[in-house]
Amino acid sequence: MFKKFCKLVKYFLIIIVIFVLGGLAGVFGERFVMPWLSGFESLQKYDLFKKANEQVTIIRKTEQVRVQEDYSVSNIAQGVLPSVVSVITFKEDGSNEKSNIFKNRIRSSEDIQKNIKTGLILTGDGLIVSVMDDLIKEQEELSKREVEKSIQESDYQHRVLAKNGKEYQAELKAVDPYSNLVFYKIDADNLPIPALGDSEKLEMGEKAVVCGNAGGEYQNTFSSGVIQERDKTFTLLNSELSSSEKMEGALLVNAKIDQKNIGGPVMDFNGDVVGIANAVEKDGQYRGFVMPINQIKPIIDGIIQTGDLQRPTLGLYYLSINREIALLNSLPVNSGALVYSFSGQQGLAVMTGSPADKAGILIGDIITKAGGKEVNLQNPLAEIISSHEPGDKISLEIIRNGEKIETEAELE
């Protein structure tokens, strides 16, 4: 019985092997032998070889396929362009004499760069933001309370040229010395407004587009690049020092920022506005930068809600402390605001008669807390001060010669 079973298993295995070998032979013949035989002209007249030949596709041509991403900056800016305007500031000379053209130099491209800048519509009813121009900066020797009054009561006129071809008389709504932003208001409705993004979500190396509209041949100017750095200690002053009355922090990009696009929007590659282009002179060099939109939003909201900005003053200059500054100068803390002057003079670090001076703050003091908030790169001293109102009293925690001191300052 066992022998019969073994024979059956043996025959079964032989049959399986035959089927496997036959299958492999069939595949080999169909894929290789038949196509090879069908290549002979003498055999191609037979139907068997014709069918085999029809089943074979011989690829003799190689094509290179290239997929190119559409990085056209004009396409990215399409949603924002209708909100980008030209702001023209000029002074009425009060003369309509025909001979006046011979008495004054004809306006040229140089005047366009000085008197015309880019602005961005913020609201449908005509609120526009731009940056301080040379005419306004000339007034900065006046107190911050007098800057806006001086410009508004002068003979300067403001015009806005929109993308729809319309020209608007503009009112200077507010000048913000803290951010160097200027707000205008035109009488209009249903204006196009841009989508504001989130500058905190930007990553280094991400692409950005700067859009400008400085009039004339400089309409619709574009500059693209990448975000190189989030500089928390960048200041609007013409030095490396920070001021308790000036915004601190900026995005640095390798896109070109100049007179043609200062005041214009900076967009990510989704087409959302993530900042405003600006520039400042530092150590004799003209440096462009981007003001993050998240830092500007509270200013915009304040203008919309109250129509005005009342900025308090503390009256001191400082260096924002980071780990590197702490190590290089053997400081007892890794964050805070070091009251400082490159000359080492008390009067150039703390303004005489200022709230800081009255509070007894000295050069070399490190302010670690202001108004109960930690002073660090995420909460710079200037930002904490700007969140208060003139007349507010704020507590200050200071490290002086290794000892902690508490004092109070009344902001003006």
Side-chain angles (χ1 to χ4, degrees):
M1 212 44 201
F2 179 73
K3 288 182 178 181
K4 287 183 179 181
F5 177 75
C6 289
K7 271 187 180 183
L8 288 173
V9 172
K10 183 178 179 182
Y11 293 147
F12 181 73
L13 291 175
I14 291 173
I15 293 170
I16 291 177
V17 171
I18 292 173
F19 272 108
V20 171
L21 293 176
L24 292 175
V27 171
F28 182 80
E30 182 183 2
R31 293 294 179 90
F32 300 102
V33 176
M34 293 301 289
W36 176 69
L37 292 174
S38 66
F40 292 97
E41 292 184 5
S42 60
L43 298 177
Q44 289 178 1
K45 59 184 179 179
Y46 298 106
D47 292 340
L48 178 64
F49 294 103
K50 283 183 179 180
K51 291 180 180 179
N53 195 40
E54 289 173 356
Q55 292 174 358
V56 178
T57 302
I58 301 174
I59 301 176
R60 302 183 183 277
K61 183 179 180 182
T62 302
E63 293 184 357
Q64 183 179 6
V65 179
R66 183 177 62 181
V67 179
Q68 182 174 0
E69 189 172 357
D70 183 8
Y71 278 161
S72 170
V73 293
S74 61
N75 289 340
I76 294 167
Q78 283 305 312
V80 177
L81 275 178
S83 306
V84 182
V85 299
S86 294
V87 181
I88 306 173
T89 301
F90 60 96
K91 193 171 184 178
E92 295 281 5
D93 57 17
S95 174
N96 293 320
E97 296 179 7
K98 293 182 180 180
S99 60
N100 188 55
I101 189 173
F102 301 104
K103 295 180 180 180
N104 301 284
R105 183 172 57 85
I106 297 176
R107 300 290 181 180
S108 64
S109 296
E110 182 180 351
D111 295 302
I112 288 178
Q113 292 189 5
K114 288 183 178 180
N115 294 43
I116 303 179
K117 57 188 178 181
T118 302
L120 181 67
I121 298 172
L122 296 173
T123 63
D125 62 352
L127 182 65
I128 296 169
V129 65
S130 189
V131 298
M132 283 190 183
D133 56 21
D134 292 339
L135 296 177
I136 294 177
K137 287 180 179 178
E138 288 175 1
Q139 309 295 321
E140 284 193 294
E141 69 274 6
L142 303 173
S143 72
K144 71 183 185 65
R145 299 277 187 263
E146 295 175 315
V147 171
E148 185 175 331
K149 181 180 178 182
S150 174
I151 299 299
Q152 286 178 334
E153 294 182 354
S154 69
D155 294 328
Y156 288 116
Q157 300 292 318
H158 310 282
R159 297 283 193 279
V160 169
L161 301 182
K163 287 291 182 183
N164 58 12
K166 291 185 178 180
E167 176 182 332
Y168 299 92
Q169 173 78 34
E171 171 194 356
L172 184 64
K173 189 73 174 176
V175 177
D176 184 25
Y178 169 72
S179 61
N180 283 358
L181 293 177
V182 184
F183 294 87
Y184 300 90
K185 185 70 170 61
I186 61 176
D187 187 11
D189 292 309
N190 300 318
L191 295 175
I193 58 175
L196 303 184
D198 186 349
S199 55
E200 287 300 317
K201 292 183 178 179
L202 293 173
E203 296 182 0
M204 301 308 98
E206 188 170 338
K207 292 181 173 63
V209 176
V210 185
C211 180
N213 184 358
E217 65 267 40
Y218 303 124
Q219 293 187 44
N220 295 348
T221 61
F222 299 104
S223 177
S224 63
V226 299
I227 299 171
Q228 296 177 304
E229 183 182 352
R230 191 186 298 274
D231 191 341
K232 294 284 188 179
T233 62
F234 192 94
T235 172
L236 297 183
L237 297 178
N238 59 354
S239 76
E240 298 307 313
L241 286 176
S242 296
S243 164
S244 53
E245 283 72 58
K246 286 289 185 183
M247 180 185 287
E248 190 174 0
L251 295 170
L252 304 184
V253 298
N254 64 358
K256 186 177 181 180
I257 296 178
D258 57 18
Q259 292 289 345
K260 301 179 188 67
N261 55 28
I262 287 178
V266 179
M267 295 154 285
D268 61 18
F269 264 55
N270 293 322
D272 296 331
V273 176
V274 293
I276 299 293
N278 205 341
V280 67
E281 186 176 326
K282 286 183 177 289
D283 299 325
Q285 293 185 341
Y286 189 79
R287 294 184 61 185
F289 63 96
V290 177
M291 306 174 70
I293 197 65
N294 284 28
Q295 291 182 239
I296 299 174
K297 283 178 181 177
I299 302 172
I300 296 172
D301 292 340
I303 291 291
I304 293 174
Q305 293 170 10
T306 66
D308 193 14
L309 291 170
Q310 294 296 323
R311 294 294 188 187
T313 61
L314 180 61
L316 57 80
Y317 295 92
Y318 64 91
L319 283 173
S320 286
I321 300 173
N322 55 25
R323 181 63 176 164
E324 290 76 16
I325 290 178
L327 286 173
L328 291 173
N329 296 278
S330 301
L331 300 179
V333 290
N334 293 327
S335 63
L338 173 63
V339 181
Y340 192 76
S341 166
F342 289 115
S343 67
Q345 298 181 36
Q346 167 72 12
L348 295 180
V350 181
M351 301 298 98
T352 303
S354 67
D357 186 29
K358 295 174 183 176
I361 297 176
L362 303 176
I363 188 172
D365 286 349
I366 299 175
I367 301 175
T368 56
K369 277 189 178 182
K373 296 182 179 179
E374 297 281 348
V375 177
N376 50 44
L377 296 182
Q378 286 68 43
N379 295 301
L381 179 62
E383 185 173 318
I384 295 174
I385 298 301
S386 71
S387 66
H388 288 78
E389 299 288 335
D392 286 354
K393 294 182 179 181
I394 64 168
S395 60
L396 299 171
E397 291 189 15
I398 298 168
I399 295 179
R400 179 183 296 167
N401 299 324
E403 296 183 3
K404 290 186 178 180
I405 300 173
E406 292 188 5
T407 185
E408 186 178 72
E410 182 175 349
L411 302 178
E412 296 179 354

